[in-house]
Amino acid sequence: MLPIDGLAPELRGALAGEKLPVDDLTEEGRRFFRVIRGGATVGFAGYELHGDDALLRSIVVLPDHKGHGIGETTLRLLIAEATQAGARRGYLITTSAAPFFEKQGFTPVDRDAVPEAILATRQAASLCPASATILTKKF
């Protein structure tokens, strides 16, 4: 994974293509990565750090590369990046991918058990619907 700027058109296009949030990509504290396999870009991922907690976000595998384990590998690499930056627990918000993340060891959590710093993010507070599932995992 290589760092990528939130302004990068290919990042924005890939996220928008999967109906993932793009309105806050350039705000402070976000780190995004280009996922490369065999010299080609196969996906993107990002996180924002809030103390010991990381909000994992924007994990996307490009359509031509789905079904080859890239999502699982990307998630492992993203967790490693967040852990190296100081995260000890991860959270994510999803409307459709909960089964994928549960297979990777994440568990659903009630909003009242989520740290205030995570709930105060734009993704949690306004970009994702209140009906979205929040999952967590200790790193």
Side-chain angles (χ1 to χ4, degrees), residues 20-34:
L20 293 172
V22 296
D23 292 344
D24 66 336
L25 297 182
T26 59
E27 291 180 11
E28 189 72 28
R30 281 127 184 94
R31 295 200 59 209
F32 293 100
F33 302 90
R34 174 190 309 270

Side-chain angles (χ1 to χ4, degrees), residues 37 61 65-76 100:
R37 182 181 272 184
V61 175
H65 301 282
K66 290 183 179 185
H68 301 291
I70 293 169
E72 292 91 345
T73 301
T74 299
L75 180 59
R76 280 194 307 275
F100 167 80

Side-chain angles (χ1 to χ4, degrees), residues 10-24:
E10 60 268 38
L11 170 64
R12 296 178 80 77
L15 297 176
E18 295 293 326
K19 297 180 178 46
L20 293 172
V22 296
D23 292 344
D24 66 336

Side-chain angles (χ1 to χ4, degrees), residues 33-111:
F33 302 90
R34 174 190 309 270
V35 182
I36 299 173
R37 182 181 272 184
T41 298
V42 296
F44 300 92
Y47 73 88
E48 27 183 300
L49 192 62
H50 299 277
D52 290 348
D53 299 316
L55 177 61
L56 305 183
R57 45 174 297 152
S58 308
I59 297 171
V60 61
V61 175
L62 298 179
D64 291 345
H65 301 282
K66 290 183 179 185
H68 301 291
I70 293 169
E72 292 91 345
T73 301
T74 299
L75 180 59
R76 280 194 307 275
L77 293 170
L78 187 61
I79 289 171
E81 289 282 346
T83 301
Q84 185 175 6
R88 299 295 169 251
R89 177 172 291 279
Y91 292 87
L92 58 90
I93 305 166
T94 183
T95 57
S96 61
F100 167 80
F101 289 106
E102 287 178 30
K103 287 179 186 173
Q104 309 307 313
F106 283 79
T107 57
V109 62
D110 291 331
R111 282 185 179 262

